[in-house]
Amino acid sequence: MKQFVINVTPGPTFLHHLSGKTKVMLFGTFIFYTLMSFDVRLLLPLFILCLVALISLKPNWKVVIALFTFIFFMNLINLVLFWLVDPDVGQYYTTDTRTILLSLGNFFLSRETFWYLLIRQLKLMTSFMVSLTFILAITPSEFAAGLYGLGLPYKVCTVVSLAFRYIPDIANDYENIKISLQARGLEMDKRKLNLFKRLKDNLFILLPLIISSFDRIGNIANALDLRAYGLLKKRTYYAEHEPTKADHVFRFIAIAVLVFSFAWIGSRMIWPPVTQMWTPF
Amino acid sequence: MHKEPLIVFDHFSFRYASQQVETLKNIHLTIYKGEKVLIIGQSGSGKSTLVHCINGLIPNSFKGEIRGSCTVAGMDISHASIFSLSKQVGTVLQDSDAQFVALCVGEDVAFALENQAIERKEMIPLVKKATDKVGMSDFLMQVPYTLSGGQKQKVSLAGVLHENVSILLFDEPLASLDPFSGMQAIELIDAIHQEDRTVIIVEHRLEDVMHREIDRVIVMHEGEIVYDGDLNALLKANILIHYGLREPLYLQALNYAKIPFSTFEDVTDIKRMNFSAVQGELKSFVPKQLHKRIDRSEVLLTVKDIHFAYDVKPVLKDIHFTVHRGERLAFVGKNGAGKSTMAKLLCAFVRPEKGSIELSGTDIKVLTIKEVGQRIGYVMQNPNHMIVKHLIKDEVRFALENQSLTNEQIDDRVEDALKICGLHSMRNWPVSAVSYGQRKRITVAAILALNPDILILDEPTAGQDYAHYSEIMDFLDQLNNDHGITFIFITHDMHLAIEYTDRALVFADGELIADDEIQAILSNPDIIEKANLKQTSLYYLAQACGIAVEPFIRSFIEQRSQA
Amino acid sequence: MQKKNLAQLILGDWNTKTVVGVAIGAALFGVLMVYGGVKVFTNTNLTTAMLIPVIVGALFGPVPALVACFFGNVIADLIGGWGFWFDWSIGNGVLGFFVGLLPLYGADINKGVFTVKHAVIFALVAILGNALAFGVVTPLFTLLFFGGELNITFLQSLTGGASNVLVLTVLGIPLLFALAKRNASSQNLVKE
């Protein structure tokens, strides 16, 4: 079975020790900050901050680098497509000029488009870095507890933690069902079969997988009911420790980032409306 | 001593909303404070339904019609909420994977506390206390996938021990445990009972529960209580078999030797029984000449020097063995010892790092999974994981349609497989209409249609009562006898290994530590300890009478197969 | 049993069984997203995960289907580690709602009720839901979050939508028929 990128048990570093609510708050506000800004002056510092945070988490670099490369090139392909379809795509977002940097026959690369594509890539990679840092710092239980701390109904939070609990079991069933079908002569992953046949063959795995997975519902629901699940309107979390001094500081930072983001949106995008991004030129 | 009634069923009947007839019929039962009660009965006898009435799942989760009354700790179950009952009654479910609902041990034990919104500061010492009681306090951060069945069960128990519940219900606590862990579970339950709690155990593995004293036994049959009294009288009455239940092995042996139980004062504990008067009769029970029925002339499978690892940690090391045509083998050992991995290697689901597996002289590394699958069939534990078609005959057909066969050939093979498995008259039925045992047959038939040489079955009888166990195993044994199919069973069940196999391979920590007849293995304390096995009562019986253990067990098996 | 009103049908009951059902649905969604794709080209995966909200919807209603689908997607992102792309998660949630509408037009998989009429409605709703989720919602969010070239953004999103429609109709309809057939009560079975 493939390893999860998220850790199920908390790691040892400073960021790991923050409470679930703090982590979810930081993630939420920084993602919001990333998504609302298209400005190198806002994105680059966060990107660097995430890099520092990532290093402090002492992750498995092999996995991190593989993921980073994958996301980087997937998005790069997009950018090339944008450029091929409309070499002037940057004009709408930067200045309404066309300064040719380089020209290849009919195609050309303008300074405006180049800048726009560069910043878009930076924005996507910053969003990825914020997510990855969050994923590597949190555990599923803290995630559920954090969502609850931010006011989500606990039944929805249970969906998250319970789903994580049964994913390895279901993944195991999936592998076993697949193998037993292969032993009974079902061809899989073979290129010689056409798409429809392959899709249809997938149904043979899905049917027993779905039936046996949903068959668990009764037993699990009984186990929850017998331990007073749903008794009260509120609940507490074993995985969520009381906020420490560091938690208070970071929660304050999260709120500050949120306030800043709203102020930025208010002053830059709504009135007076600025649709063009900041450029050094 | 003043006995205080805690659970009282009076003229109690229950019918599930989805069913036509009542599952519990006119139950009268009083369980007193501090008692330890065992409820036994076949599947469908109503014993689980009875438990659901006590913990409040009936009528809160399972809807239906109640007649008469049932009170638990003074609460009428028709009106009590499942929450108020849960403060009095703790339930350890049969399926410890379903009961483990959190992502680590500490969280799971804390689950009931979380739901009552208890502050985390108070929660931590309570979790510590509960896990201390079951010996799991060093595992608080462990995730469920790294725990054994026995450990998961201890966590389940710790999770319901809070607030000093007065009644503890154990629903088939032994179902998925290896023999040694099962024994530990019974000891733990006994310790919990000593703390002045009322304990109710539902099981059909009577002999294993008898490892520790029981105050009272209730036998259920077709929704009614047919026996309510002490264990000794029940055993002496020799009536278990009428209700589809297995009697303890040593009593079965005494029955074969025609020694009446009335010879003994108390038959509940073999270690306290005096056999001096019947030694002669038991000795003559062992015949001088034992015939060996296994023909070991044709080597079918040769496993040489197998090494295997999923990642860095070796799962199997240096495995050698051979299998002959027509043999019945057991793979035994605790969870994670490597027995399932060995089976997967034989089926080419995974490939060895080193070493070879030869099937009739061909190394299977040159064959595809599909090609190996035609010769070595694998039947998974849960039939629902294998069945993909709606109708029984289509399910049996499925694998054949992936072969290059003509339609007539397929029809013939399907017919044969259905007939052999006794499914022919039901061939046009939907799979969903038949019982678990019959579904098992369907999965066997679906593999048999491929005409394999070897069938590997993973825990073929897990969770089955004695009647279904016998039904499945006798059927498989017949396939072996009449059609010469070679069988490999992966199992925790020593009864199965004793009764239905010729040889056992014992795995421990990735090594093959024994390859011998099961009676020889169960006479070796060293192997028993390493592999989490348990001596059977036959062993004690033979020893108590000064009879050589191996021939005694073998003659027992022969008696059984004649019976 | 009394008839449920429309709001209840849409929201679902949210008792313990619903919570567990949605969680199992989200887990299945995550597993299929990460492990169970059908390779079309080297980089494009036809995921069968989209079939899960259909089942959750059939059993518990459209809002539970939406929750299972949204969180299934988030969980897949957490396991895979490739980051959160909320433009797609939101689109998936919207689609989950639409394909989970089965109880509203009378299909009841638990009781074995799924007819050709239901299949046709299901197919239409699947197409409509995809058009809305991946023709409107996801590309708009993509443009709002990240900006981009209009045609490419819509094209990419719609490709995802089209492959969903393919999976939902080619696999989803037979799956629903199979599940309904399995749950239909089998009476008058005679041994032959």
Side-chain angles (χ1 to χ4, degrees), chain A residues 9 238, chain B residues 100 103-109 127-128 131-132 134-144 146-148 151-152 154-155:
Chain A
T9 42
Y238 180 79
Chain B
F100 203 125
L103 286 149
C104 71
V105 170
E107 255 172 60
D108 193 65
V109 174
V127 168
K128 176 83 171 59
T131 44
D132 269 341
V134 299
M136 290 295 291
S137 48
D138 293 337
F139 296 84
L140 289 180
M141 293 310 287
Q142 293 263 24
V143 292
T146 61
L147 301 177
S148 70
Q151 287 172 322
K152 273 184 241 178
K154 286 178 188 169
V155 174

Side-chain angles (χ1 to χ4, degrees), chain A residues 236-242, chain B residues 105-107 109-111 113-114 118-132 137 140-141 162:
Chain A
T236 49
Y237 281 85
Y238 180 79
E240 182 73 349
H241 61 72
E242 292 71 23
Chain B
V105 170
E107 255 172 60
V109 174
F111 188 73
L113 306 170
E114 293 179 331
I118 290 172
E119 289 298 316
R120 186 171 177 272
K121 314 192 263 298
E122 296 164 47
M123 214 186 273
I124 286 169
L126 289 172
V127 168
K128 176 83 171 59
K129 201 173 127 198
T131 44
D132 269 341
S137 48
L140 289 180
M141 293 310 287
H162 304 301

